[in-house]
Each structure stands twice: as structure tokens, then as C-alpha cells.
Amino acid sequence: MTTLVYQEQEHAGDPSLDAYEAALRRSIEDEEKKQLNLATVLIGQKEGNKIRGKEPELWIEGDSTEVTTFQKATTVAVWTISALLFADATSHMVNNWDPLVGGFVVGFTILFSDLFSGIFHWAVDNYGSLKTPILGSIIHSFQGHHSAPWTITYRPFFNNVYKIALPCLVFLSMVLISTWGTGNWEAQLAAIVFFNMQILGQEFHKLSHMIKTPPLISKLQKMGILLSKKNHLAHHTSPHDSRYCIVTGHMNGILDSSNFFRHLEKVVYRLTGDEPNCWKLKPEMKTNILAGKFD
């Protein structure tokens, strides 16, 4: 079971998945209406404020929902390097307008982080498998997530983000080595925000799958500061061809309305002959897109 297509076929009509999506839609319409009893019966068990599938479904041998020392160390190392970079960056802010520039850098980088998360999410959802070098386990996790979206809610923070934190640690280390003491604080600040947003984006993604979230999180989701349940829900409708951005979700509207990913899929197909998984789930997409019909 190494591709999205097989997973979709095997789990088509899965009653627990259908119930999960129905319950999530109800929570979006009115979170204050505590219509959780029926969802509990349909989906499985109720734990505190979360309703989940009966069990997490783990697709990779050796995977678990347990937190390990390695997972913690990887993420904390990213934070440590980020703190060092931030200290060096702020030490070189000498002009009165530097904080204003810094605010612009942070805001722009958050939007770029959301854009990047969408492109990365699209790529791993639609291409590759467990056998793909380097990214195989990440690809497999993202594709398997469509079959059992509740599994992510079982993962504690460090277990959920460490696979993203590991490459971020490598790249942030390179930034630290190449920019330390150079006074290039704008690049340092952008790197801090970008890589930490990729890590936190995975946690924001998890929060968007929880039926009930803490009041503060729910408020931030409704304000559009965090990825909202409503924004992300559309992605979990087959063929999973939209709403790929998972940091804030702000870029989803632009990318989807412009058919950005459909154009990208057409380019990839012309160059490599590879069909994205969303085409395999909805074959008419291929005919329409190759004919220039994107709507």
C-alpha cells in the first residue's frame, strides 16, 4: 500500500472516514452546538475535546505516536539555532527604520511560507511513493493521511513535526554558518520565520483536523491567523486537488482561483509523462487539463 491510489480504493466508503468528515462539517457550521453524541457513535471514541477514528492508522513500519528523545532534540535544535540567528540579527539592527523593515520581512515570509507549504504539499500528495529517495517517508505520510485524516490528531507535538524539523535543522545550520557576523540580518530573520513556519504549519494542520479545539485556537482559526477547519476541509474531498497551503491558508484562494496547480500538473506531465494522483482519482481531469480546460 504505497500509493495514494491504492489507499483511496481500499478506503473508499470507509464509514469512519465518512463520519469524520460529517462531524467536522457540523463543527464548522456551529462549534458551540455540542452535537458530539452522534459523532461519537459514528466515528469511534471521544477523548476530552477530540473525536477521532477508532484507532490511528500507521502506514510505515516502525512508525508510532510515541514521542522520542530524538524527535525532541531535533526540534529543540532548530529553536536553538533560531535563537542564535535572532540574537545576531538584532545586534545588527542599527537604523531607526530597521524594525519596520523587519516587520515587512516577517509578514512577507509568512505568506511565502504558506505558498511554499502549498507547493510542497501538492508535490508530495501527487508524486512519488515510499520508495522515493530522501522524501519517501514524508510522501507516504502525506498520501496516507487522506485515508485516515484523524491519525494526525493522535500525534503529540514533537512526534508530529520532527520529520519537517529535520531538514529545517540542516538548512538553518547552513544559514547560521554562512551569515553569522555578516550583518545580513534580513536574510537571517527571513530564514528563522520560514523554517519555523514550516514546522509550526504541520501543527496548525493537525489543529485543523480536531473537532473541538481550545477557545484561543478556535478564535485564531476563525480570524484567519491559523489554518481554519473550513479552509482545509475542502482538501479532504476526493480527488484532493485544492487547498494545499497549510500554514495560514491565505494563499489557497489565489492558487486555486488561478488554477496554478492545474497548470503545474500540465507542465510536469509534458516534461516527464507522470500523472498526478488527483488525475488518477478523477480521470477526466487529465483530458480537460491537457485540452486547456481548467474549470
Side-chain angles (χ1 to χ4, degrees):
M1 194 184 306
T2 59
T3 68
L4 175 60
V5 178
Y6 296 148
Q7 291 163 359
E8 286 290 337
Q9 291 174 346
E10 180 172 334
H11 288 78
D14 186 330
S16 58
L17 178 55
D18 292 341
Y20 167 88
E21 293 185 346
L24 187 52
R25 284 189 174 90
R26 286 196 298 273
S27 72
I28 292 166
E29 294 170 353
D30 188 357
E31 288 193 6
E32 298 307 315
K33 293 180 181 179
K34 299 184 177 180
Q35 301 176 345
L36 300 180
N37 291 334
L38 177 60
T40 299
V41 173
L42 293 175
I43 298 176
Q45 64 186 23
K46 177 179 178 181
E47 283 190 23
N49 289 328
K50 305 171 189 175
I51 290 188
R52 308 168 169 177
K54 292 181 179 180
E55 296 291 341
E57 296 187 18
L58 305 174
W59 303 97
I60 301 175
E61 184 177 356
D63 190 14
S64 77
T65 58
E66 299 297 320
V67 175
T68 67
T69 301
F70 175 76
Q71 293 167 1
K72 290 181 179 179
T74 300
T75 309
V76 171
V78 171
W79 294 341
T80 301
I81 292 177
S82 297
L84 290 172
L85 281 169
F86 185 75
D88 190 49
T90 53
S91 71
H92 289 92
M93 292 183 180
V94 295
N95 297 310
N96 292 333
W97 47 266
D98 281 351
L100 182 62
V101 174
F104 174 80
V105 170
V106 170
F108 177 82
T109 306
I110 289 175
L111 287 177
F112 179 75
S113 299
D114 195 44
L115 171 65
F116 179 86
S117 75
I119 295 173
F120 182 80
H121 188 181
W122 164 82
V124 296
D125 267 8
N126 285 289
Y127 302 97
S129 69
L130 182 61
K131 297 180 180 180
T132 301
I134 302 176
L135 294 176
S137 64
I138 293 178
I139 291 171
H140 203 54
S141 295
F142 270 86
Q143 294 179 2
H145 171 66
H146 292 153
S147 298
W150 58 80
T151 297
I152 194 174
T153 68
Y154 279 87
R155 295 188 182 276
F157 176 80
F158 290 108
N159 180 280
N160 185 38
V161 305
Y162 85 97
K163 288 182 180 179
I164 304 297
L166 190 56
C168 288
L169 175 60
V170 174
F171 288 115
L172 263 182
S173 298
M174 294 170 62
V175 172
L176 179 67
I177 294 171
S178 62
T179 65
W180 184 263
T182 63
N184 191 2
W185 63 266
E186 297 93 342
Q188 291 175 322
L189 188 59
I192 293 168
V193 174
F194 176 79
F195 289 112
N196 279 277
M197 282 297 101
Q198 298 311 310
I199 293 171
L200 292 175
Q202 180 65 1
E203 188 68 7
F204 299 158
H205 179 203
K206 181 181 81 175
L207 292 171
S208 74
H209 278 282
M210 290 183 174
I211 299 296
K212 295 290 288 184
T213 50
L216 177 60
I217 297 299
S218 295
K219 186 173 183 178
L220 292 174
Q221 288 175 331
K222 290 176 180 178
M223 292 171 64
I225 296 174
L226 300 184
L227 178 69
S228 70
K229 300 172 185 178
K230 186 175 183 179
N231 192 314
H232 187 60
L233 179 63
H235 178 70
H236 282 274
T237 300
S238 186
H240 315 288
D241 62 345
S242 64
R243 302 284 172 173
Y244 287 108
C245 300
I246 58 173
V247 174
T248 64
H250 290 158
M251 298 300 294
N252 279 325
I254 297 173
L255 295 176
D256 291 342
S257 64
S258 65
N259 292 305
F260 175 81
F261 292 112
R262 305 294 81 81
H263 288 285
L264 204 53
E265 289 159 4
K266 184 176 181 180
V267 170
V268 171
Y269 181 75
R270 294 295 192 196
L271 293 176
T272 68
D274 290 336
E275 296 182 20
N277 284 323
C278 60
W279 290 14
K280 298 171 185 176
L281 292 171
K282 190 176 180 181
E284 59 267 31
M285 286 182 67
K286 177 180 178 179
T287 302
N288 291 336
I289 290 171
L290 294 181
K293 301 176 182 179
F294 299 102
D295 296 324

